[in-house]
Amino acid sequence: MLRDHSLIEEAEGHRRLATGLMATADLSRDASEWETRNAMSRGYYAVFHMCQALLALLNVTRPPAHRALRPIITAALGEEYGQRLENFRDYREGADYNPWMLDRKEY
């Protein structure tokens, strides 16, 4: 199947952003709270951009709002992937806005 060249360029742009964001999300064992929070946020945005890249390659409309992405990913890949995306988004929001998030046992 031939793909529109502009869709391939769009997907490549999102992939490039995801790769760069993941490079800034590297954590050491002794990372500070702020490094950990930054890595959680950057990790989410990397996942977000990879989802956008996939949707571009599938020629599926890309939503402008983050919350609108989950049902589209669920439809394209299944509930498990939609739930994972939502979990990543929740972690990012917690890292950005919840001062006590890292006090939780799971962290």
Side-chain angles (χ1 to χ4, degrees), residues 40-62:
M40 293 171 80
S41 185
R42 298 306 91 197
Y44 164 74
Y45 282 108
V47 169
F48 173 83
H49 282 290
M50 286 306 292
C51 288
Q52 295 285 29
L54 173 66
L55 295 176
L57 290 174
L58 295 174
N59 198 17
V60 173
T61 301
R62 274 77 65 212

Side-chain angles (χ1 to χ4, degrees), residues 14-107:
H14 284 292
R15 188 210 55 81
R16 183 180 49 78
L17 277 172
T19 300
L21 288 164
M22 280 307 296
T24 67
D26 189 33
L27 282 177
S28 65
R29 253 188 126 67
D30 58 342
S32 70
E33 174 184 352
W34 299 274
E35 290 167 326
T36 301
R37 288 175 180 275
N38 182 62
M40 293 171 80
S41 185
R42 298 306 91 197
Y44 164 74
Y45 282 108
V47 169
F48 173 83
H49 282 290
M50 286 306 292
C51 288
Q52 295 285 29
L54 173 66
L55 295 176
L57 290 174
L58 295 174
N59 198 17
V60 173
T61 301
R62 274 77 65 212
H66 290 254
R67 290 209 180 269
L69 184 59
R70 190 222 168 141
I72 296 170
I73 289 298
T74 298
L77 301 176
E79 179 59 35
E80 179 182 350
Y81 290 96
Q83 184 61 55
R84 287 181 183 192
L85 176 63
E86 185 174 320
N87 291 346
F88 276 117
R89 189 188 65 239
D90 289 346
Y91 292 143
R92 194 272 310 167
E93 289 177 355
D96 288 348
Y97 303 116
N98 182 345
W100 301 277
M101 180 181 187
L102 297 179
D103 292 342
R104 293 175 17 198
K105 185 178 179 179
E106 65 195 81
Y107 302 106

